[in-house]
Structure formats: structure tokens, C-alpha cells
Amino acid sequence: MKPISLSTISDYVDNIKKWAYKDVVHIQNNVLNKNPYTSEFIHNYFFDIEPKKLNKLFLFKKISIFYVKSIANFFLFLVNYVIFKLFGKKSDIDFEKEIYIIDVFFLVDNIIKEGVYRDRYFPGLYEVLKKYNKEYVFLPRLYGVDKSLFKLNKLLRVLNKDKSNKFLLEYELLSLFDILRILAFILNYPIKQFELIQQENSNLDKLFNYELFNSLPDASFEAYIRYLVGKNVSSRLPSNSKIISWQEFQNLEKAFYKAIKDSDKGIIIYGCEFLIKYDTYLSMHITDIDVDLSVTPHKTLLNGRYNYSRSAKHNFISGVSLRYKKIFKYIIDNCNSKKTLLVLLGYDVIESQKLLKITSHIENLKIKLHPNTNEKQFNKYKKESWIYTYDDLYKLFRKANIVLVTTMYGTALEAVSCGVSVIIITSNNKLNVVPMLDFGYGEIWDMASDKKELDEKVNMLLKFRKNNLVKVNSIASWYKENFFIEPTEENIVKIFEL
């Protein structure tokens, strides 16, 4: 594996993106997005994978798969469009008034299961908006609605009976002409990839060209839909309206921001990066090129003072940690000296199953599932002496002194900030994305890739805790102070300029 040079790969992609993104079609591209999980480009670069050549059979196969998947998804989208027109309740919104648009994910399965909408992204925000007499409307990104023909109908039953919130769904905003635009996008998208092919003067060029088509079957038209939604909603909103947007800097967000900014109506977008960010997760990082291309919000509100993005042009502001309020009430005591292990499984089922395999020699474990997973996915790997726990996370932190997690799981940073030691289960054959910095490595957190290494790291961290408890607490406080900001009413009012 090469020494990780994030700037090399980021600058390379930006050099292509600076002209490619001028065509909104390419904002959907999963290679230009720099996401280490939506294409193999970054992985192949760091692991010196030999570039493969493009051939006609390979291109035909990938393009065919794209069309089959996209046409099927387009048909499902059309069905949902018709269902909304028949059974959806048209929003009752006065667009002449000042409105705060809430651009956020709706986890469709959770809403259907609970029978009510509860926002998990901005807890505590809406009470403050109401207190200051600010009207808000949800403009949801419907996550999971495309899994079956019946999901939207079930979702509408829940939303239609909600009297306390207003919802503006994409199906209400899109016209029949927009539907034809989406179909044209699908038909043209594979052809447009040939515009991005590089001269192959380097291995990077060859890797990029191959991955353009290797990742093609996983491309979708979601970002383009969001672009059309942005154009249509901006045409209705009065000048100087405000949008509060959940920001992970995914393709669909960039396309939406681009549409809002292109409207030139003075609509302000607050990009809320109220989540755990990762140094090696390049797609989350804003660069100057992104600012020049108008695919960023006007302001990015940070979850903490620490910021990985390399942009002097973008406006980064300290925000609030709305989802991490409990961390500010947690008092570190670290009185438990007995070895007590807690497993926190992530949303990546395969990685979580691997974690359980590596811990199979440990007799006693408590396992907490990710909200988007279930016991059936892990029962095969669970020993009889292990137990699932559904206790509050911060109560579990008090009983544990070592937490075991998968890569790319932000809860690891929460644990460290509460003074709990963390071991991240990694792989030797993939780029491991972890939420911590080198600070505290080998003292309050570490990594392991097999059973032997896990045992060594457990004993090492326990010994360090026993002999250096003051330093452990000091490291925990440093992480808390740099990666989280208390979500007080005063802070919320300040950052959203209420």
C-alpha cells in the first residue's frame, strides 16, 4: 500500500471536475465524487492495483447493466409519481411568506414502522424555530422508498395524517416535462462518460478511465432529480429565503445546491455538517474547486471546531452538535477497572459480521445493533454467552472500558470523548476510514485486524488506562472540545441567524 497522500488524489480529481461539473449530468458521477465506497478508484490507487484496459465486451456489459437497472428504477419512480398524484396530499404552503426549507433524509422504513415522522437529524432545532415564530417545511430526500412498489403508499398514509408538520415531496414539484428530462438523462448518461476519458499518460489516468465504467452500473439519477427539485423549489421561494440542509456533501446535495445558486434569488443555504467527519473520506471535503463550481452551500456549519476540508474560499462556521446533546451531560468517572467489552455494530452488515468472527474466542460480550440492522443478520455469528443490548448508548459507556467497532463508525469518536477506550477492527486489503486522529493512538484507541492482534491491543489499552487514567481523561476531553459543540438555544439562534 502506498503512503496515503490525500491531496494527490483529491487534486487529480478536481482537475477533471473543474470542467466536467459545468455539465450538471456529471455531478452524478461516482468517481468524481471521491467517495471511497461508491467506486474502487481511490482503493486501487493506494493499493497499487494494476490498471485494467477497457475493451468492447467490458463496456457493453457495464453499459447494459446500467440501462437495465436504471430503466427498472425509472419505472418504479413513475409508479410512485402516479401514486403520489392519486393519494398524496398537496402541501399547503404560502410561498409569499418567509419559509425555512428543511432539506433532510427521511428514513422511509423507520417512518412506516413507527407510524409517525420523527426527525433524527436536527433534534432540538424545531422547538427553537417555533419559539421564534419561524415557519418551516420539510423537503425530504426519501431514503428507501425505491425498495418496493408499496413503500410510498405506506409512507403517504403516515405523512397525510401528520397535522404538526408540512411536507413538500419531490413528486409534487416535478412536472411531466421533468419526467422526460429524467428519461433523457438515463439514455444519455453512459454516452456522456466517454467525454471524461483521460489520455492515459499515467497509472492514475488508466485507473480513472477503467473505474468510470466499472462503477457505471451503480450510478443513478437521484442527483439529477434533486437538481430538478432545486430548480423548481427555488422558482417558488421568495428572495432571501433560507434552506437548512443536512450536509454529507453527496452528489444529490451538490446538484441541489447548484440549482439553488443558479436561481440567483439570494436564497441562503446553511449546510449542516452535524456528523462525524473522516480525514480519509474525501467526498466529504470541500475544496476551492467545489466553491468555484457552485456546488457548495453558502455556509457550512461544523459539528466541532476541527475541520478537514481544504478550502480557503468556503465559509466554514462553528455549528452545533444537535445529535450529540448527551455527550455534554456525560461525566467521565472511569471507575470500572475490570475488563468489560462492548461491541457496537455498524450499518455495514458484512463488516459487522467480520467483527463478530474476530471476537468469536471471547466468552462474554454485549452487542448493540445499529438502528438500521436486526438480530437475524448476526445470529449465525453470535455465541450463546453473548447478549444483545438495547440500553441507552451512554449508559453502556459507563459499564464498558473498551468498545469494539468497525471502520467508518462515528460512534467510536463519541466513546473516546467519553473516556472509553476503542479498538477499530480493520482490514489489511482495504482503505480503512477511521474517525479519530493520530492523537491518543495506542493510548485511548487502536486498531486490530485479527484475533491475536485484538487480544494484544485489549491488554495494552487496559494497562495504559490503569497506569495513566489522568492522561486518558485528558485525551477524551480534547476530542470532546474539538469535535463537538453544545447545542444550546443561544448557539442555535446564532448560527441560523434567527
Side-chain angles (χ1 to χ4, degrees), residues 45-72:
Y45 169 71
F46 284 123
F47 284 89
D48 280 322
I49 304 299
E50 184 66 25
K52 296 180 181 179
K53 292 184 178 181
L54 300 177
N55 59 63
K56 292 180 180 179
L57 180 61
F58 172 78
L59 293 174
F60 177 78
K61 176 183 175 183
K62 294 297 181 179
I63 292 173
S64 298
I65 295 173
F66 169 83
Y67 278 131
V68 170
K69 291 176 66 174
S70 296
I71 294 300

Side-chain angles (χ1 to χ4, degrees), residues 114-135:
E114 296 173 4
V116 65
Y117 173 66
R118 294 190 183 93
D119 179 46
R120 290 176 167 82
Y121 291 88
F122 298 128
L125 169 64
Y126 309 110
E127 292 84 351
V128 177
L129 289 176
K130 289 175 183 176
K131 182 176 179 179
Y132 285 80
N133 298 314
K134 303 298 183 183
E135 184 174 346

Side-chain angles (χ1 to χ4, degrees), residues 74 77-78 81 170-185 221 224-225 227-233 235-236:
F74 181 68
F77 177 79
L78 280 180
Y81 185 80
E170 58 194 37
Y171 308 106
E172 181 178 343
L173 290 166
L174 297 174
S175 66
L176 289 176
F177 194 53
D178 289 326
I179 302 300
L180 293 177
R181 286 192 179 104
I182 296 168
L183 179 59
F185 172 93
F221 48 87
Y224 187 65
I225 289 178
Y227 175 76
L228 296 175
V229 166
K231 287 186 66 175
N232 290 333
V233 77
S235 68
R236 300 189 185 191

Side-chain angles (χ1 to χ4, degrees), residues 410-440:
T411 308
L413 186 59
E414 288 182 78
V416 165
S417 299
C418 290
V420 185
S421 298
V422 169
I423 297 177
I424 300 172
I425 305 303
T426 60
S427 297
N428 293 323
N429 59 352
K430 63 177 287 189
L431 184 64
N432 295 300
V433 178
V434 300
M436 275 81 76
L437 305 176
D438 289 341
F439 184 66

Side-chain angles (χ1 to χ4, degrees), residues 74-87:
F74 181 68
F75 172 76
L76 182 56
F77 177 79
L78 280 180
V79 172
N80 285 338
Y81 185 80
V82 173
I83 288 174
F84 178 82
K85 296 300 182 183
L86 293 175
F87 304 108

